[in-house]
Amino acid sequence: MSTLILVLGVVVGVAYIYRHIVVKGKSCTSRAKLHGKTVIVTGSNTGIGKTTAVDLARRGARVILACRSRQRGEAALEEVKRESGSSQVVFMQLDLSSLASIHSFAETFLKSEPRLDILINNAGVYMQGQTTDGFGLMFGVNHLGHFLLTHLLLDRLKECGPSRIVNVSSMAHNFGKIDFECLNTKRALGTGTSFMEVLQIYSDSKLCNVLFTHELAKRLQGSKVSCFSLHPGAINSELARNASLFLVIFLKPITTFFFKNTVQGSQTTLHCALQEGIEPLSGRYFSNCTVRDVYAKAKDDAAAKKLWEISERFCGLA
């Protein structure tokens, strides 16, 4: 009996340490105030995007909630205003699965807003499908849409420097690969629909985020714009809202205990957006508010350049 109690005590102790050190993780320590600054957060109607928007609004920033659904976006607008106590929050519709919508959003923003100081490319999807323009959905939304959005807003970011671009990736990028032949022929990172195939394609799209950031930093040298990619942690949020009901129910106890909540999950995004003095680390990848080394494939100059060029062609920029 005493042995059983001892074992249970050790298990509880290990779980407590894991929960409060590993899961909770580090917090953004910047006390920066953002009065007079403007920030765009894509996918900010839910999850870590909304929590990030609340924090930035509390700091005095003018925050643009760039979301696909008008109904969900306007509901989030009221929540962010209420939770932050700020009236400087605006909803603008943006569908990252539509190149036309991205152009429309950029045109509206550039006409109505004189500044852009921080662009947070946060939105992401985890499901198979096709975009309006016929690209694979995860490639189109997770990478290509943000690629085009960043391109269209880059001059404004340069004008308002020092400014930052933050690309929310994932540790899943470690398992990613980019099949350029598939991209060229199918306009997608993959076409499979099984659980493992969808997970692989998601990982591939997250590798695109890291490679995009790597190449973007090189092209921004000499400007006052810095860029970072990051892993927010395993988040108990709505990213997998399109997963099967069985999978959601099965994973619920695991995600509740072992995954970060949205406040914890937003900390590395906030660190990359706000932390003073990290500009020399432009192009690098962060996790748990700390710069991390990445595998060779995530800083491959040739692959990053090739991805950039094919993205330009797909967006009609080449």
Side-chain angles (χ1 to χ4, degrees), residues 15 19 32 112 144 154 166 205-206 225-226 232 248-249 272 302 306:
R19 174 76 178 163
S112 60
L144 195 66
L154 201 50
V166 179
S205 75
K206 295 290 99 179
V225 185
S226 50
V248 170
I249 294 172
C272 290
K306 192 171 184 178

Side-chain angles (χ1 to χ4, degrees), residues 134-184:
F135 299 105
L137 189 63
M138 283 187 276
F139 172 71
V141 172
N142 298 356
H143 166 68
L144 195 66
H146 283 129
F147 176 90
L148 177 59
L149 179 68
T150 302
H151 171 84
L152 296 175
L153 300 176
L154 201 50
D155 285 345
R156 183 61 53 84
L157 283 158
K158 289 177 178 178
E159 291 167 9
C160 299
S163 53
R164 295 187 184 181
I165 300 165
V166 179
N167 295 319
V168 178
S169 180
S170 166
M171 69 173 297
H173 86 271
N174 289 316
F175 310 103
K177 57 180 176 52
I178 299 180
D179 183 342
F180 285 104
E181 183 178 351
C182 185
L183 264 185
N184 275 309

Side-chain angles (χ1 to χ4, degrees), residues 103-299:
H103 278 282
S104 177
F105 171 89
E107 183 180 357
T108 299
F109 174 84
L110 293 171
K111 284 181 179 178
S112 60
E113 300 289 336
R115 295 194 62 85
L116 179 56
D117 301 274
I118 304 171
L119 170 61
I120 299 179
N121 291 320
N122 165 83
V125 295
Y126 182 90
M127 62 180 294
Q128 269 290 51
Q130 273 199 334
T131 71
T132 304
D133 305 284
F135 299 105
L137 189 63
M138 283 187 276
F139 172 71
V141 172
N142 298 356
H143 166 68
L144 195 66
H146 283 129
F147 176 90
L148 177 59
L149 179 68
T150 302
H151 171 84
L152 296 175
L153 300 176
L154 201 50
D155 285 345
R156 183 61 53 84
L157 283 158
K158 289 177 178 178
E159 291 167 9
C160 299
S163 53
R164 295 187 184 181
I165 300 165
V166 179
N167 295 319
V168 178
S169 180
S170 166
M171 69 173 297
H173 86 271
N174 289 316
F175 310 103
K177 57 180 176 52
I178 299 180
D179 183 342
F180 285 104
E181 183 178 351
C182 185
L183 264 185
N184 275 309
T185 58
K186 308 284 189 177
R187 310 219 302 179
L189 292 162
T191 57
T193 56
S194 72
F195 174 82
M196 291 307 298
E197 287 170 327
V198 172
L199 178 59
Q200 181 63 60
I201 295 164
Y202 176 76
S203 301
D204 300 344
S205 75
K206 295 290 99 179
L207 178 58
C208 288
N209 296 152
V210 180
L211 286 171
F212 168 47
T213 307
H214 178 75
E215 179 68 16
L216 180 60
K218 293 200 293 184
R219 293 171 183 254
L220 289 173
Q221 287 178 2
S223 74
K224 292 184 178 180
V225 185
S226 50
C227 59
F228 311 95
S229 63
L230 66 97
H231 169 56
I235 312 298
N236 186 15
S237 70
E238 293 189 29
L239 182 63
R241 61 183 174 270
N242 301 110
S244 69
L245 179 61
F246 171 77
L247 187 62
V248 170
I249 294 172
F250 175 74
L251 291 177
K252 186 65 175 176
I254 300 171
T255 59
T256 299
F257 187 83
F258 290 102
F259 285 23
K260 294 177 184 287
N261 61 37
T262 57
V263 172
Q264 295 161 348
S266 66
Q267 295 307 303
T268 303
T269 299
L270 293 167
H271 177 86
C272 290
L274 303 172
Q275 187 61 43
E276 299 81 358
I278 64 171
E279 289 82 1
L281 298 174
S282 184
R284 299 288 299 278
Y285 170 82
F286 285 72
S287 177
N288 198 24
C289 298
T290 305
V291 68
R292 306 287 187 183
D293 290 327
V294 294
Y295 291 129
K297 65 180 177 181
K299 52 184 177 183

Side-chain angles (χ1 to χ4, degrees), residues 19-125:
R19 174 76 178 163
H20 288 273
I21 295 179
V22 178
V23 174
K24 183 178 180 182
K26 294 182 180 179
S27 296
C28 173
T29 58
S30 174
R31 297 184 178 181
K33 296 299 181 184
L34 300 174
H35 301 284
K37 307 287 188 182
T38 299
V39 184
I40 292 174
V41 185
T42 68
S44 43
N45 61 290
T46 189
I48 61 172
K50 185 167 71 173
T51 305
T52 299
V54 170
D55 187 288
L56 297 170
R58 281 180 182 148
R59 294 171 185 262
R62 181 169 174 80
V63 179
I64 312 299
L65 308 181
C67 315
R68 178 180 58 84
S69 166
R70 177 168 294 278
Q71 181 180 0
R72 292 171 60 126
E74 289 178 347
L77 174 65
E78 296 309 312
E79 292 176 27
V80 174
K81 283 182 174 180
R82 184 175 66 252
E83 291 179 30
S84 67
S86 172
S87 61
Q88 290 296 302
V89 187
V90 178
F91 164 72
M92 290 189 187
Q93 193 164 25
L94 169 65
D95 182 355
L96 286 161
S97 70
S98 164
L99 299 182
S101 175
I102 298 165
H103 278 282
S104 177
F105 171 89
E107 183 180 357
T108 299
F109 174 84
L110 293 171
K111 284 181 179 178
S112 60
E113 300 289 336
R115 295 194 62 85
L116 179 56
D117 301 274
I118 304 171
L119 170 61
I120 299 179
N121 291 320
N122 165 83
V125 295

